[in-house]
Every structure is written in structure tokens, then in C-alpha cells.
Amino acid sequence: MVERNRPERRTNAIAAAVLGAVLVSALPALRAETAAPPASSKELFEWLKTGSYKDWAREIVPHPAAGAHPGGVRANLNPALEASLKGGGQAHPAGAAAVLELYGKSGALHGWAVAIKTQAESAGGQGWYWYEVLSVKDGNRTLAADRGVAACVECHAQGRDFVMTPYPLK
């Protein structure tokens, strides 16, 4: 009986080794997918154009913006922010991020608004990097790109740790 189990054990060991190798090779991709986007205007704009955030939890369709963003919006939440909202956290962790796709009257994507928590403490909104860019025919117009942008902080102060997106996403 011992002899018959050896090939089975060897097969299980080989399967475990293959599965382990697959998981280890996937770690860099998983880390990249869960990492916060860059909190720098130029790098963030390039990152947004790749659409990497579309792998995050996201609303099914755009809806009319409740705040100062023009037109329709669709929220995308990175895993850190989604886990915090799901867990009912009153303060979100550093690295939590949301990307709002901004849609014009025609329904076409015409910009993004991004919030990235850059430190553990929100510090009255100073612990968040705020970014908003609109695409226009003659180039892009950046409306916000800094920590603690007054207009962003003022509006988002009514949210849970500066996040206005209702959860669960619809």
C-alpha cells in the first residue's frame, strides 16, 4: 500500500510546485494592480490614459454628478478603498484611491478626477492628493493637481474621510 501512494504523493508535490510557481510569477502583477496610482500630475495622467483603474471595482454606468464635477461620473475604487468602505472604516488607509471618469453631455469620456490618500492621517484633506483634468480640443486642462486642494477638500469634507462615493457601488 505504501508503494501505491508514492506516485500519488509525487503527483501532488509536482502539482503544488507548479501552482506555487504560477502564484509567485503573478505577484508582481497583483502588486501593480493593487498599488495606489502615482501622486504626480504627469505620471498620473499617463497612468490614467492606460486605463489600469478599469480593473478596480467600478460602477456599472455613469450617473449625474452630485458635486462640482460637470456632467456624468463613474466611480472606480482601488482595492484598499473598496475594502475600507466595505468594512465601514471611518478613516481610509494610506494608498486608498478613487478615480472618477468624467463624461460630457455627449456621453463621451472627457476627463478624470482622482483622490489618493497619501498618508495615514487625512489632516483636514492635506493627506489626500487631488487631481482633475479635462480633455479639450487644444490639449488637456488641469483643474487640480496637489495635496489639500481647497476646492476639493471643501466639497469632499462632507464625505466619509473625504470620500463621497456611496458604497456598495451600483
Side-chain angles (χ1 to χ4, degrees):
M1 183 132 163
V2 173
E3 289 299 316
R4 281 190 282 161
N5 286 339
R6 283 189 181 177
E8 185 177 301
R9 285 184 187 163
R10 206 171 305 142
T11 302
N12 288 344
I14 291 169
V18 169
L19 179 59
V22 168
L23 290 174
V24 167
S25 68
L27 284 178
L30 290 172
R31 275 188 236 116
E33 193 176 289
T34 59
S40 159
S41 182
K42 183 177 180 183
E43 289 87 6
L44 182 53
F45 183 71
E46 293 303 317
W47 181 85
L48 288 165
K49 290 191 309 185
T50 70
S52 294
Y53 64 87
K54 292 180 181 182
D55 290 333
W56 297 352
R58 65 191 315 219
E59 293 177 307
I60 296 168
V61 296
H63 61 275
H69 303 291
V73 297
R74 180 188 336 210
N76 300 265
L77 310 175
N78 80 345
L81 182 54
E82 182 188 23
S84 182
L85 289 169
K86 186 176 185 177
Q90 293 305 305
H92 306 301
V99 172
L100 285 183
E101 296 174 327
L102 306 177
Y103 292 88
K105 292 178 184 176
S106 69
L109 178 68
H110 74 99
W112 297 276
V114 181
I116 305 166
K117 191 163 184 192
T118 59
Q119 59 190 45
E121 296 298 319
S122 291
Q126 298 296 315
W128 287 85
Y129 179 83
W130 306 95
Y131 180 77
E132 185 169 351
V133 62
L134 299 178
S135 299
V136 293
K137 291 181 182 181
D138 58 353
N140 296 308
R141 186 167 55 128
T142 302
L143 304 176
D146 205 353
R147 287 175 177 74
V149 174
C152 301
V153 169
E154 184 179 314
C155 184
H156 283 262
Q158 61 188 317
R160 185 169 27 157
D161 193 20
F162 296 90
V163 174
M164 304 278 295
T165 303
Y167 191 84
L169 299 174
K170 295 180 181 180

